[in-house]
Amino acid sequence: MKIIKNYLYNTAYQLFAIIVPLITTPYITRTLGSTGVGVYAYTNSVIQYFVLFGSIGISMYGNRLIAFDRDNNEKLSEDFWSLVVIRTVTIAIAYVAFIVYLVFVGEYHNEYLYQSIQIVAVIFDISWLFTGLEDFKRTVLRSFIVKLFSTIAIFVFVRDPSSVGVYILILSVSTLLGNILLWSYIKSFVISPRGLTLTFNKHILGSLKLFVPQISMQVYLVLNKTMLGSIDGVKSAGIYENSDKIIKISLTVITAIVTVMMPRMANTFAKKKFDQLHNYLYQTLDFVSFASILLAAGLAAVAPTFSIWFMGESFSETGRLIPVLALIGPMIAWSTVLGSQFLVMTRREHQFTISVTVGAIINVLANILLIKNQGTMGAVIATVLAETCITLIDLFFVSKAIPNFSGLSGKWKYILAGAMTFGIIRCINYKLPGTFVSLLFQGVICVIVYFAICVATSSSFTNTIIRTIKQRKATN
């Protein structure tokens, strides 16, 4: 019941997180233009490297550590304060490194300074404490407040292409305030550090084990925009940013279940309930497979008209990029479940490190080879190759860890349904105008067709839904 409750909390926020960009993105793309969005994307990608090095893997490590320790308040408090001290020191070092970088950089000084507030914000980020405790209510409430504040501020203060700095400042300050807000809740879970024995060496080493894969993940998540901005100009970085944003927004509700399941998986593993652990994994994989392939098929099918309707003519190129980039939807869903939810939460982070490191290397090499000749499409292809590689390696390690692993059994039914749905909706998309009513109609048809094909092929997820409905009718 707690899993369902946490998922509903997280999903409620993720739905809100989808609605906000649906409101702000059309306004921002038309107000700032592709160049303004590109400046934001490029400077943000650079700042994320300093955020990454200052964080040293503490969020994921802290999430798992708290999940292990949550039944012992004194140990939990010692670990919490130890990680807070470590992160404060490492973020201070990262900010000094940023100041040094700023001395040598030739442009966008103000934008970089505004973005750097995000580095400071990391010191106050203790969301990992509440995630480890499976207390999503507080983090969701914080996120609602922050999103609401930033959305209102964007419409009030961002007025023209020269407002790029204001836009960056709004997003950075809202992140900082949101992180500070979480500190008002810790008295219920953490005791004062006075009298506690804080330890640092083992936590630094533990965080560093997860820091290496996070470096690799950051490379293929952020480096595309950095390389596009450097090689093909900030406008290309903005085009890629918005194409990527559309895919990532569509995945937020799906990956919400993974966020909820991570601490539960860690706690179940600590109690050595392996059958239950594997059952959680299979159930999550089935859900994300069904949902991610549906979303990928739908987005790819309507992309040519949706991109212009949603972002304006200056972002029409995204209509060509989104269908290819949509392929990463199922890949990210699978690799998140297999890697973050299973490998990391069961202390197999070295295997997770291997998968994302290989993916990062492939991403960098593909970017170097493809961006110069193919621009943004080159970066998109590089992303797809990297995500596919990561998923395959994660799948290999999980199949080795679980005897007779059957997590992807029958998933071909979702792929078949997705391919057929894409073909049908794309044909409809060619014949209809790119209006809201038309796109809404295509979305409804997409869901109906996909679900019908899944039922016809007797997919496991639709079978579960039908069985649950029948059972409820029988009990009423």
Side-chain angles (χ1 to χ4, degrees), residues 70-232:
R70 64 190 185 197
D71 297 325
N72 185 332
N73 187 250
E74 183 174 337
K75 191 170 188 306
L76 181 149
S77 299
E78 288 177 347
D79 290 339
F80 170 78
W81 290 114
S82 298
L83 293 180
V84 168
V85 171
I86 292 169
R87 178 175 268 188
T88 300
V89 173
T90 55
I91 285 294
I93 295 171
Y95 202 86
V96 171
F98 163 72
I99 295 300
V100 173
Y101 169 81
L102 198 62
V103 171
F104 294 97
V105 75
E107 55 186 350
Y108 308 129
H109 274 218
N110 288 338
E111 288 81 2
Y112 276 125
L113 282 172
Y114 300 151
Q115 294 275 19
S116 73
I117 295 173
Q118 294 183 59
I119 305 174
V120 178
V122 176
I123 294 176
F124 302 97
D125 180 16
I126 53 170
S127 56
W128 46 270
L129 168 67
F130 299 98
T131 302
L133 291 168
E134 294 190 67
D135 186 345
F136 290 87
K137 181 178 180 180
R138 288 172 172 80
T139 55
V140 166
L141 179 62
R142 178 280 307 258
S143 300
F144 267 118
I145 294 172
V146 170
K147 286 285 185 183
L148 188 60
F149 163 79
S150 60
T151 301
I152 294 171
I154 285 169
F155 284 108
V156 172
F157 299 108
V158 179
R159 291 296 188 181
D160 52 57
S162 65
S163 301
V164 176
V166 175
Y167 176 63
I168 293 171
L169 193 60
I170 290 170
L171 297 181
S172 299
V173 170
S174 62
T175 300
L176 175 62
L177 293 177
N179 289 348
I180 292 173
L181 185 63
L182 277 180
W183 282 82
S184 62
Y185 300 122
I186 69 168
K187 289 183 180 179
S188 303
F189 307 101
V190 178
I191 60 178
S192 170
R194 292 179 183 176
L196 297 178
T197 303
L198 305 187
T199 54
F200 303 111
N201 290 341
K202 73 171 184 177
H203 293 315
I204 292 173
L205 292 174
S207 297
L208 287 174
K209 286 181 181 179
L210 293 175
F211 179 49
V212 175
Q214 285 194 316
I215 292 175
S216 301
M217 288 172 68
Q218 201 74 0
V219 165
Y220 71 82
L221 289 175
V222 177
L223 188 63
N224 289 340
K225 286 174 277 191
T226 308
M227 293 183 72
L228 275 169
S230 301
I231 298 172
D232 208 39

Side-chain angles (χ1 to χ4, degrees), residues 57-64 210 214 262 340 344-345 352:
I58 281 178
S59 290
M60 190 174 288
Y61 174 76
N63 176 357
R64 188 180 68 183
L210 293 175
Q214 285 194 316
M262 283 169 64
S340 299
V344 173
M345 293 300 118
F352 180 62

